[in-house]
Structures are given as structure tokens and as C-alpha cells.
Amino acid sequence: KQLKIFYDREGHSNFKRTITEADVVGMTEDQAKELKTLSWWTCRQRKFKRRGELEQYKILLLNRLNFNWDPHAGPGPEKWLKNYQHLKDFKAKYGHVKVPLKYAENKLGSWLKTQITQYRNAKEGRQPCLS
């Protein structure tokens, strides 16, 4: 039920295995607690499924929420598109895309640095895709 509420509000059900302090910067105590709790819970669901211990109806319910059964596969296009929209909004507001690395509002600076690094690596044949 908590995951469904989160999914309806945030538009995703993807959680990392471990939530660090950097992941909860700017969140209220309740938001941080929710993120940590859901991260722990989703990790357990993945483990139960791997072991064949998760009931089929639960798998189907989680699939309806686009549950990410393999968190190591990456967040999917939704997160990239959301960050791209943040970048467009930043440009509209400031007239440029020179986002400070520590731009705290939505971690945009860090995301943009990763995109630039991956683009350069791809150009040099070291990495095949952006994320």
C-alpha cells in the first residue's frame, strides 16, 4: 500500500538497495524515513522473488507499478527524461546550462556532469550509452 501511494505521487517505484545521507538531502525526516523504508522493503521483495518465495499475485501487483526487479539495470528512461526537463527549466530560468555541480535543488549538476562524462566516453569508444 505504501509503495502504491509513493508510485501515484512520484510516478515510479524504483529504489536503490541502500539509501545514503546524500540521497535524503533536502528531505523532511518523514520523507527520508519513507524512502529508507520502501528501499528496504523493495529489496526484500526482490530477494523473495529470486528465491521463488514471492506469491504470483504479489509479483503481478508490483508489475502494475512498473516495479524494477533488477535495480542494477538502471532507472529507465523516465528518470533521464525528468532530469532533461529539469535542465530545460534551468536554461529557461537562467539562460544557460552551466549548472553548478552542487546545485542542490534536484541534483541536476551531478546528473549533467555524468551525462557529459558518458558522452565523452562514448565518443572515445569507452562506454556505449547515456543514462
Side-chain angles (χ1 to χ4, degrees):
K1 184 176 178 178
Q2 241 185 321
L3 182 62
K4 172 78 168 105
I5 293 168
F6 182 90
Y7 178 82
D8 289 343
R9 187 181 68 233
E10 302 294 330
H12 72 87
S13 60
N14 299 325
F15 294 90
K16 299 184 339 183
R17 180 183 175 118
T18 305
I19 302 299
T20 65
E21 290 306 311
D23 295 318
V24 297
V25 168
M27 291 184 177
T28 66
E29 190 175 320
D30 287 342
Q31 290 170 325
K33 183 179 178 183
E34 176 188 43
L35 187 64
K36 290 176 181 180
T37 299
L38 287 171
S39 174
W40 173 83
W41 185 84
T42 57
C43 182
R44 291 188 46 84
Q45 302 316 297
R46 290 182 187 110
K47 183 166 79 171
F48 292 147
K49 183 176 185 263
R50 272 193 314 272
R51 292 179 176 175
E53 298 171 358
L54 191 62
E55 293 95 337
Q56 189 63 33
Y57 82 93
K58 290 181 180 179
I59 294 170
L60 293 172
L61 288 171
L62 290 168
N63 284 341
R64 286 185 190 165
L65 302 179
N66 297 320
F67 189 77
N68 184 359
W69 292 106
D70 183 7
H72 304 293
E78 300 85 14
K79 186 173 182 181
W80 191 93
L81 290 170
K82 184 176 180 181
N83 283 316
Y84 179 67
Q85 184 60 51
H86 288 315
L87 183 61
K88 287 170 51 176
D89 294 344
F90 183 95
K91 183 175 182 182
K93 184 174 182 178
Y94 298 107
H96 63 82
V97 292
K98 296 177 184 173
V99 183
L101 184 59
K102 296 195 182 215
Y103 187 70
E105 187 174 321
N106 48 28
K107 300 181 185 177
L108 184 60
S110 176
W111 176 81
L112 185 57
K113 182 177 188 240
T114 300
Q115 301 312 300
I116 292 167
T117 299
Q118 290 186 351
Y119 173 77
R120 287 180 182 151
N121 287 343
K123 266 181 75 172
E124 297 169 9
R126 288 189 287 184
Q127 247 178 336
C129 64
L130 299 175
S131 64

